[in-house]
């Protein structure tokens, strides 16, 4: 079966343009076109079909090696990349900073060069410092780098699985009203989701305490503010107003250390004004999708009943994460137009 669709050669002013160069790295969504995102979501649809089989195994990446290199804790991203690689028959090696020579002071760059020298094909990296995956991408010429979350900067594979989940449920992303609630300043998920949803034509409304909101989009992403997508993104600190007519409401994890840093008046006040709960959702569209990237602080940014209720697609996000990461590993390693 075909696990991917060929990206059509683009037409430029009626003239057949060159086929885009195959992508080597996934660092953020800012350099993805709408066509490339659509092609990845289409590939993920084929991957999901593989995941529904009794025997979840295809030989697509046999003989390829994926290293997951995590300098921060993770459940969803690390395990789903491991599952994605194994379903595609890649050899997957999991590394964390703890127990590695990082503890003896080895630099990130030397760790990357060492892993590259072992002949791996792809490094999936999570790191507390923004830009760590970019550093590896600049200096390692034989491996693909996938950003699995870097500092406050980006989490592109989370954004792609969020896009997939909305498209899968609603049939389209264009014109959908997506309300993202919480800490926009410090959320790498929000930063990548804003790019992704806006590029796919959704209207994005950011809501939360003014202290955790960008006063203008320059503070969230200067490149976004300068792009043609900026008009699709709004800030409204009044969640009751922002949520009106929403197709999708996404709560972000409240990093409680923000309260100690003076960004929040109190948890009680945060819950009163910005918790995603039943009363608030009545103002959204009937059947509104409720999302959360996880891990959740249930009872704080989202009520328990909504987190596990009929509108929640939080577990679908996790399931879809495996398919989307399979699609990315496949496309980076084999290319976009190959048959398996
Ligand atoms: N959403 C997300 O990145 O979750 P993990 O930290 O568990 O990977």
């Amino acid at each position: 079966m075909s696990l991917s669709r060929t990206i059509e050669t683009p037409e430029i002013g009626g003239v057949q343009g060159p086929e885009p160069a195959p992508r080597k790295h996934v660092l953020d969504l800012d350099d993805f076109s709408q066509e490339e995102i659509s092609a990845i979501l289409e590939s993920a649809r084929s991957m999901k079909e593989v995941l529904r089989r009794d025997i979840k195994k295809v030989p697509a990446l046999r003989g390829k090696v994926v290293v997951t290199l995590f300098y921060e804790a993770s459940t969803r991203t690390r395990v789903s990349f491991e599952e994605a690689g194994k379903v595609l028959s890649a050899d997957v090696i999991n590394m964390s900073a703890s127990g590695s020579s990082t503890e003896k002071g080895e630099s990130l760059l030397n760790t990357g060069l060492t892993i590259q020298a072992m002949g791996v094909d792809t490094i999936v990296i999570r790191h507390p410092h923004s830009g760590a995956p970019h550093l590896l991408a600049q200096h390692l010429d034989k491996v693909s780098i996938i950003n699995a979350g870097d500092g406050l900067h980006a989490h592109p594979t989370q954004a792609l699985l969020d896009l997939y989940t909305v498209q899968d449920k609603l049939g389209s992303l264009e014109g959908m009203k997506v309300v993202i609630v919480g800490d926009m300043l410090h959320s790498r998920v929000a930063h990548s989701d804003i790019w992704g949803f806006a590029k796919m034509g959704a209207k994005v409304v950011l809501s939360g305490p003014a202290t955790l909101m960008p006063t203008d989009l320059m503070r969230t992403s200067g490149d976004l503010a300068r792009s043609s997508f900026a008009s699709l993104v709004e800030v409204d600190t009044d969640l009751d107003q922002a949520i009106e007519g929403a197709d999708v409401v996404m709560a972000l994890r409240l990093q409680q250390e923000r309260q100690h840093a003076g960004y929040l008046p109190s948890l009680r006040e945060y819950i009163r004004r910005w918790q995603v709960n039943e009363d608030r959702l009545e103002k959204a569209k009937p059947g509104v999708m409720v999302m959360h990237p996880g891990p959740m602080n249930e009872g704080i940014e989202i009520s328990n009943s909504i987190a596990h209720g009929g509108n929640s697609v939080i577990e679908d996000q996790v399931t879809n994460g495996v398919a989307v990461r399979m699609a990315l590993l496949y496309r980076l390693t084999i290319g976009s137009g190959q048959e398996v």
Side-chain angles (χ1 to χ4, degrees), residues 74-77 126 155 158 293-294:
S74 167
T75 298
R76 291 150 204 76
T77 314
R126 171 169 289 189
H155 196 347
Q158 176 71 41

Side-chain angles (χ1 to χ4, degrees), residues 79-284:
V79 176
S80 63
F81 263 115
E82 182 175 356
E83 182 179 353
K86 287 181 169 170
V87 171
L88 293 173
S89 300
D91 292 305
V92 182
I93 299 165
N94 296 315
M95 257 189 82
S96 56
S98 158
S100 77
S101 289
T102 301
E103 291 192 333
K104 300 180 205 159
E106 187 161 54
S107 69
L108 171 64
L109 183 53
N110 282 337
T111 302
L113 289 167
T114 301
I115 295 170
Q116 174 173 261
M118 294 176 197
V120 310
D121 297 281
T122 305
I123 297 176
V124 179
I125 177 171
R126 171 169 289 189
H127 201 282
H129 293 158
S130 302
H134 301 67
L135 178 85
L136 292 188
Q138 271 167 13
H139 293 278
L140 275 52
D141 57 351
K142 298 187 190 70
V143 295
S144 288
I145 305 296
I146 300 180
N147 181 359
D150 64 324
L152 307 180
H153 173 238
H155 196 347
T157 68
Q158 176 71 41
L160 287 168
L161 75 87
D162 290 340
L163 296 177
Y164 181 94
T165 304
V166 174
Q167 192 188 62
D168 195 43
K169 288 276 178 204
L170 301 182
S172 172
L173 291 156
E174 184 148 15
M176 298 300 163
K177 180 175 179 182
V178 179
V179 180
I180 306 179
V181 190
D183 177 358
M184 298 312 142
L185 282 186
H186 305 98
S187 171
R188 58 194 178 201
V189 173
H191 294 169
S192 292
D193 267 328
I194 293 168
W195 271 115
F197 280 109
K199 282 196 171 188
M200 299 307 283
K203 178 180 173 189
V204 183
V205 182
L206 312 176
S207 191
T211 46
L212 294 173
M213 286 293 111
T215 50
D216 60 45
L217 285 171
M218 283 296 177
R219 290 186 64 193
T220 302
S221 168
D223 290 343
L224 179 74
R226 283 185 285 273
S227 78
S228 57
F229 305 107
S231 62
L232 289 168
V233 185
E234 286 175 13
V235 173
D236 186 346
T237 55
D238 180 346
L239 179 56
D240 291 298
Q241 188 173 283
I243 214 166
E244 277 176 22
D247 298 282
V248 177
V249 176
M250 182 187 298
L252 299 174
R253 184 171 72 88
L254 181 68
Q255 297 171 32
Q256 294 185 34
E257 57 272 25
R258 302 293 171 226
Q259 191 187 344
H260 307 301
Y263 284 104
L264 300 176
S266 68
L267 275 187
R268 185 194 293 257
E269 177 74 356
Y270 187 88
I271 291 166
R272 194 177 68 76
R273 295 186 59 186
W274 291 288
Q275 185 186 71
V276 175
N277 57 31
E278 274 164 12
D279 289 345
R280 288 222 155 84
L281 285 186
E282 280 180 12
K283 302 185 180 84

Side-chain angles (χ1 to χ4, degrees), residues 291-304:
M291 307 179 79
H292 193 302
M296 290 186 277
N297 298 301
E298 283 186 41
I300 297 182
E301 70 264 9
I302 188 167
S303 69
N304 305 68

